[in-house]
Amino acid sequence: MVIDRQFSIIDGATPKWVNETLFESLLRKKVTDFSKLIKFSTKYVNNCKENYLSVKADFETKDGKRRLMGFIMKTATLSHGEKLLPYLTSGSLAQENWMNFEIIPKFKALFETENKPKTFHPTSLKFPQSVPEDYVLFEDLQMKGYRPLQGGLSSPQMEAVLNNLAAFHAASAVEGNINQSVNQRMVKTPNKELQLLINRIFHEHLRLYDLKDYEDKIKSLQSHFLEESSPSNSLEFQVLQVGNCCIDNMLFLLDAFGNVKDIAFINLDMCCYGNPVKDLLYLLLSSAINADKINNFDYYIKYYHDQLVGYLKLLKFKRKIPKLWELQYDVIKNNKWAFEAVTQVLPLVLWDPSNSNESNLSEEEELPINDKFLKVMCAQDNYCQQIQKLLPWMEDKAFLEE
């Protein structure tokens, strides 16, 4: 850490242009009774799950009261996460800002009109003056009591998330005229080299999972999915997919009894219009507690559909509302997303950087960083235990059919 004047603590990884003067001007614009900044601090958060600058501003209002505000900031300077797990990193900052400032406010307005306010995403902010590079800036909801959850979502928590996801999807379906604009702006180029690496490492670990009988089937399926483009059909019911729809991309506001009061998606940098089952499969197969991934899977699909239908009717959706059987059919038809969820998203969700085994990483020190982290994550005990049950279940559900 570098001490910069008496009231500022600036993390050494922070760009030089990010300072207390910049945030003081933002607070003067945002807080009507702002008087003076007392303490300003930054902390760079950089691990395989998170990659951002945490900023805190302690200030005094005109009546002499103290307040503390927190911000989350991303800049190109700080975007080092891609060297670890590029398939879950953000796209361009300009695209993300477009989602935050242009699209999400429209969704929120739909529900405010019906007196059913939804958070969806933290309030996005802009500095009143120009700065040297692009950035994404939004309020840190953890300062308002929101917090991340770990270890998988219980049934009541999953129902709350499915309700929120259904509201998000319904709003995007009602605002369907932005479909083409979103897909033009939020273009992601698949990293085939990385995909080959992920496939190889997962295939190599099948014997560790005591699933060697699946080696031929998985190898054939991986080749099939590499050749297959992302499934999309403009004639289907389409929504704005969150993209990285998993527990790691959410903050939760809980009441005194642990019940979910509100949910917010943190990053909307992988959004794309398409079939809603991508978000469903990513969420259910990566973020439900262990047994629920299998035992409550069909129930959760129906629960989501019930919520979706309710919100579409609330928002006066004028086109055909999808039937439950259509959603169930799409779940099986789009098995590529189910496979991605359990082989790419689940090991990352289960990974706890704070408990990482440095000896395991050092054993692989001659390998490139992608290889190193992917190999260690695929060998996690909790992932091994889950995949041993998930693959046979997926075979029974026809998720492993080409």
Side-chain angles (χ1 to χ4, degrees):
M1 293 288 187
V2 177
I3 305 298
D4 180 18
R5 302 218 299 258
Q6 198 168 16
F7 57 83
S8 297
I9 304 176
I10 310 296
D11 189 291
T14 303
K16 292 181 179 179
W17 58 270
V18 179
N19 53 48
E20 69 277 2
T21 302
L22 183 68
F23 277 85
E24 184 172 6
S25 65
L26 176 68
L27 289 168
R28 288 191 182 280
K29 179 182 178 182
K30 179 177 175 60
V31 182
T32 54
D33 59 348
F34 175 84
S35 175
K36 63 180 179 180
L37 186 63
I38 297 173
K39 184 178 179 180
F40 174 81
S41 64
T42 67
K43 182 180 179 182
Y44 180 40
V45 179
N46 181 20
N47 57 48
C48 68
K49 287 192 175 186
E50 301 168 302
N51 188 246
Y52 60 83
L53 192 68
S54 173
V55 181
K56 289 183 172 57
D58 187 353
F59 62 94
E60 187 176 287
T61 57
K62 292 177 181 178
D63 58 3
K65 294 181 180 179
R66 293 276 292 270
R67 287 183 58 187
L68 180 65
M69 289 190 66
F71 307 89
I72 298 299
M73 185 175 184
K74 293 191 288 184
T75 75
T77 303
L78 297 176
S79 295
H80 301 310
E82 60 269 19
K83 69 183 180 183
L84 300 177
L85 290 163
Y87 56 88
L88 286 179
T89 57
S90 64
S92 107
L93 298 170
Q95 291 173 349
E96 189 174 352
N97 271 327
W98 184 73
M99 287 297 309
N100 296 344
F101 284 104
E102 300 296 329
I103 305 302
I104 298 305
K106 292 181 179 179
F107 292 179
K108 290 181 177 180
L110 287 173
F111 285 95
E112 287 169 359
T113 300
E114 302 298 333
N115 294 315
K116 300 283 186 180
K118 293 286 183 180
T119 300
F120 291 135
H121 186 268
T123 300
S124 297
L125 303 162
K126 287 182 180 179
F127 295 117
Q129 66 267 56
S130 60
V131 296
E133 60 181 307
D134 290 335
Y135 64 91
V136 168
L137 179 69
F138 49 85
E139 64 175 334
D140 186 354
L141 288 178
Q142 293 185 80
M143 304 297 293
K144 294 183 176 181
Y146 288 73
R147 62 185 180 89
L149 295 180
Q150 296 179 331
L153 298 170
S154 67
S155 185
Q157 291 168 343
M158 180 60 79
E159 288 176 356
V161 173
L162 289 170
N163 179 282
N164 198 58
L165 181 64
F168 184 90
H169 285 168
S172 68
V174 172
E175 287 282 353
N177 58 317
I178 61 175
N179 182 336
Q180 187 174 359
S181 298
V182 170
N183 279 349
Q184 287 175 345
R185 286 176 176 266
M186 308 299 284
V187 174
K188 301 290 183 295
T189 303
N191 187 330
K192 191 169 185 178
E193 182 178 342
L194 179 68
Q195 190 63 60
L196 286 168
L197 172 63
I198 296 168
N199 287 347
R200 175 176 62 78
I201 290 175
F202 179 77
H203 190 268
E204 288 174 353
H205 280 71
L206 286 172
R207 289 178 181 261
L208 174 66
Y209 309 143
D210 197 24
L211 294 170
K212 64 179 182 179
D213 292 344
Y214 284 84
E215 286 180 336
D216 291 341
K217 178 183 283 287
I218 294 301
K219 187 173 183 178
S220 177
L221 194 63
Q222 289 173 335
S223 299
H224 173 70
F225 286 153
L226 273 176
E227 296 170 359
E228 180 186 86
S229 60
S230 297
S232 179
N233 183 348
S234 59
L235 298 178
E236 295 176 338
F237 175 75
Q238 293 199 335
V239 301
L240 183 64
Q241 301 165 346
V242 175
N244 53 342
C245 189
C246 66
I247 191 174
D248 286 346
N249 191 31
M250 302 173 197
L251 287 176
F252 298 80
L253 183 65
L254 307 179
D255 64 19
F257 302 98
N259 301 311
V260 178
K261 294 173 61 178
D262 193 22
I263 301 164
F265 298 110
I266 307 169
N267 298 303
L268 296 173
D269 49 18
M270 299 185 72
C271 290
C272 183
Y273 260 87
N275 198 301
V277 301
K278 178 178 183 179
D279 283 345
L280 268 178
L281 289 169
Y282 271 39
L283 174 65
L284 298 181
L285 295 179
S286 75
S287 303
I289 56 175
N290 297 2
D292 277 12
K293 288 183 177 71
I294 294 174
N295 297 339
N296 285 353
F297 182 82
D298 293 326
Y299 164 74
Y300 285 146
I301 297 295
K302 184 180 186 306
Y303 184 86
Y304 163 83
H305 180 264
D306 290 343
Q307 305 306 303
L308 178 67
V309 170
Y311 281 124
L312 289 172
K313 291 180 178 178
L314 174 72
L315 300 179
K316 304 173 181 62
F317 184 60
K318 300 186 183 303
R319 297 185 293 281
K320 179 180 176 291
I321 294 178
K323 303 289 187 182
L324 176 59
W325 71 264
E326 293 174 311
L327 184 66
Q328 292 168 329
Y329 172 74
D330 286 343
V331 165
I332 299 301
K333 183 180 68 174
N334 294 292
N335 60 327
K336 176 180 180 178
W337 290 327
F339 191 74
E340 288 177 358
V342 299
T343 61
Q344 298 178 25
V345 187
L346 179 58
L348 182 61
V349 166
L350 295 176
W351 174 259
D352 183 356
S354 65
N355 295 327
S356 62
N357 189 328
E358 295 297 332
S359 63
N360 287 344
L361 292 175
S362 62
E363 288 174 5
E364 310 286 354
E365 61 186 353
E366 299 300 323
L367 293 173
I369 193 70
N370 281 342
D371 300 54
K372 184 187 301 186
F373 275 93
L374 288 169
K375 286 175 75 70
V376 173
M377 279 194 287
C378 283
Q380 298 172 91
D381 289 341
N382 51 1
Y383 182 63
C384 293
Q385 294 165 6
Q386 291 202 30
I387 204 68
Q388 284 177 333
K389 297 178 180 179
L390 279 170
L391 273 193
W393 172 79
M394 291 176 71
E395 184 175 42
D396 290 342
K397 295 284 288 187
F399 280 131
L400 301 185
E401 299 295 327
E402 295 182 23

